[in-house]
Amino acid sequence: MLAIGLVLNTLGIGLFCWAIFALAVYALPFFVALSIGMTAFQGGAGLIGALLLGTAGGALTLVLGQVAFAVTRSPALRIVIATVFAVPAAVTGYHVVFAVSHIGVPSLAWREVFACLGAVCIGVTSWTRLMVLAKTRPLEPGGAVESAS
């Protein structure tokens, strides 16, 4: 019985960490969705209307960011767009890892180290996911787009 409890606790903690990591990567769209939803609810849209508007706003933020990244040819502008998505994710990662590290790390210095590593990992993951999901096709020298064959 003890072995089953240990296995289930390990799986539960692993699932919890995976969910936090997956959600922290999308911090900017979540923040936009939450802000739009709260504004709509306070404006009298009702619970269902606020949920719908918030969900649409968050999804639109993610899609527009990916499309803007894919369409833009300027490396500087791509870096700016990716940074806009990666910085809130890194801040979220820092705070999540710092809060979770209170469970098993007694030293404040080590909690800071783990929190900084978490911020870097989640920020880089957010940056990478934006770049991978919005790939562009290379142009041929004549200006025509290559066919995928």
Side-chain angles (χ1 to χ4, degrees):
M1 200 59 139
L2 181 63
I4 293 172
L6 289 173
V7 169
L8 289 177
N9 278 334
T10 303
L11 288 175
I13 290 171
L15 182 64
F16 177 70
C17 290
W18 171 81
I20 288 174
F21 186 78
L23 293 175
V25 169
Y26 299 108
L28 179 68
F30 177 75
F31 176 71
V32 169
L34 189 64
S35 298
I36 290 173
M38 289 177 60
T39 303
F41 185 72
Q42 291 173 355
L47 183 61
I48 302 298
L51 286 172
L52 290 174
L53 285 172
T55 303
L60 189 64
T61 302
L62 182 62
V63 169
L64 286 178
Q66 290 175 348
V67 168
F69 188 86
V71 170
T72 304
R73 298 282 181 213
S74 168
L77 195 53
R78 281 185 167 206
I79 289 173
V80 168
I81 293 169
T83 302
V84 166
F85 277 82
V87 168
V91 171
T92 303
Y94 173 85
H95 288 290
V96 166
V97 173
F98 189 75
V100 171
S101 68
H102 278 237
I103 295 171
V105 181
S107 169
L108 180 61
W110 280 109
R111 283 190 294 221
E112 288 288 337
V113 168
F114 289 140
C116 289
L117 288 174
V120 168
C121 289
I122 292 178
V124 167
T125 301
S126 176
W127 181 292
T128 305
R129 283 193 184 175
L130 183 66
M131 293 174 75
V132 167
L133 292 176
K135 284 200 173 190
T136 58
R137 294 186 288 178
L139 292 176
E140 288 183 354
V145 177
E146 284 185 41
S147 63
S149 46

